Amino acid sequence: MILAVGTAARLPGEYIATWLFAGYALSGLITVVVCVLYRQPLAFGYSMPAVVIVGPALAKYPMPELVGAYIATGVLILVLAATGLIRRATAALPEPIVMAMVAGVFLPFGLRLVGAFDGGPWIAGAMAAAYLASSASPGLRRRVPPLLAALAAGAIAVAATGRFTPPAGLALHAAAPIALMPVFSVAALVEFVIPLAITVVGLHNIQGFAILRTAGFRPPENMSTYVCGAGTVIYGLLGSVPTVVTGPANAILNVSGEKDWRFIGGIWLGIFFILFGIFSPVAVGLGAALPVALIAGLAGLAMMPVLQSAFVTAFRGAFTFGALVTFLVTVAGVSIFGIGSAFWGLVIGYAVSRIVESDDFRRSRADP
């Protein structure tokens, strides 16, 4: 998406390379440090919805004005963390409504898994068979996690069907990031700061924290918000969209493995992010050559346990009507004022639940 947006906006190649470096290498560094300090599988990245929000604007605003908006967004996130508003807001949201939003966000991954059987039946079939075989045997599951088995089977199927063709002339070379000077345009600030801040704290971070809580962790929410605010300022100087706690990555890190050692997976993820960011020109070229069926199949299989857990949490007890409304609004994918449907799913679902499920709120206050 970054390549597509940057190319459509005719950004210089060094700007795109710097954006990729910030989004991956710096995210990897943050992920490694936080995982080591807190011994939790807590991954950070850049906001993909933010790429969608600013993409069309690149044809209207020069890059330095967007950099100014990114920096202002980071400052606003830091202020929200300092006031404690983020912690109070997340504490007020019932878990079923939050997990219904998570289910709505991740549902397309599961649907793309089914669609992969149409575009690459041998690849998707081999991955699904390996995943099920590993899942069916407790002994094999401990030695070869189902997702790793699916990846290996998919790679073999890709090689056997000849679906991988690396681009010609691909050579190993590192990105050379450059810092961009910000310009604080009133128009850009008004158009982007609030939607981008809401995308970070009201969409991504809530997802990531909910996934970690469901997995049995107590994520450092306020510290993570500070990290996202400071990271957004630094990313912004390199032309990248804001820093976030990633939902899908944290979900994959909690699919399997001993709970106390899952942070090791986060460290490895951070290391691979760093390598990807440093060698992003090469990595993107290789990634673009992979068949869609492999990527969609792997992502869908990774999300299956998360989807199952999200649906169970959302619809097993209290707040189920609000959770249903949240799920439907999120899946609808409607953007209002440039803010994605996941945020509006939370807002509308919570409001509806307040109206029709007031007894559930009273019981939750009486029995926290």
Side-chain angles (χ1 to χ4, degrees), residues 100 105 344 361:
V105 169
W344 294 114
F361 280 95

Side-chain angles (χ1 to χ4, degrees), residues 114-130:
V114 179
F117 283 87
D118 183 33
W122 291 107
I123 298 172
M127 295 175 73

Side-chain angles (χ1 to χ4, degrees), residues 153-340:
I156 293 171
V158 168
T161 56
R163 296 283 298 275
F164 178 68
T165 307
L170 193 66
L172 184 66
H173 62 282
I178 55 174
L180 303 173
M181 290 301 295
V183 173
F184 295 97
S185 157
V186 173
L189 294 175
V190 170
E191 184 171 348
F192 295 113
V193 171
I194 297 299
L196 289 177
I198 291 174
T199 298
V200 174
V201 301
L203 172 58
H204 288 285
N205 289 15
I206 285 180
Q207 286 180 38
F209 297 151
I211 289 165
L212 282 166
R213 285 196 299 269
T214 303
F217 295 99
R218 296 183 62 184
E221 298 183 16
N222 224 43
M223 182 282 302
S224 298
T225 308
Y226 276 116
V227 168
C228 289
T232 296
V233 172
I234 298 171
Y235 284 28
L237 290 171
L238 296 174
S240 175
V241 292
T243 317
V244 297
V245 176
T246 65
N250 283 305
I252 293 172
L253 289 172
N254 283 288
V255 164
S256 63
E258 295 289 339
K259 177 190 166 188
D260 291 342
W261 293 100
R262 289 178 187 169
F263 77 97
I264 299 295
I267 294 172
W268 277 109
L269 172 67
I271 291 171
F272 284 125
F273 263 28
I274 293 169
L275 293 174
F276 187 96
I278 292 173
F279 299 106
S280 54
V282 183
V284 169
L286 291 174
L290 292 172
V292 173
L294 177 70
I295 299 171
L298 191 64
L301 290 170
M303 291 300 114
M304 292 297 279
V306 184
L307 271 172
Q308 181 184 16
S309 175
F311 277 117
V312 169
T313 303
F315 299 112
R316 69 183 172 189
F319 305 104
T320 51
F321 189 73
L324 176 61
V325 172
T326 299
F327 176 75
L328 292 175
V329 174
T330 303
V331 171
V334 178
S335 177
I336 305 174
F337 304 126
I339 301 170

Side-chain angles (χ1 to χ4, degrees), residues 64-135:
E65 292 189 14
L66 286 177
V67 171
Y70 296 153
I71 293 173
T73 301
V75 172
L76 176 58
I77 294 170
L78 287 171
V79 170
L80 292 173
T83 58
L85 290 174
I86 302 301
R87 185 171 57 250
R88 291 196 292 272
T90 54
L93 285 170
E95 188 179 25
I97 291 177
V98 175
M99 293 310 291
M101 181 268 284
V102 171
V105 169
F106 289 169
L107 180 64
F109 289 97
L111 297 178
R112 289 187 199 116
L113 168 62
V114 179
F117 283 87
D118 183 33
W122 291 107
I123 298 172
M127 295 175 73
Y131 185 92
L132 293 174
S134 175
S135 300

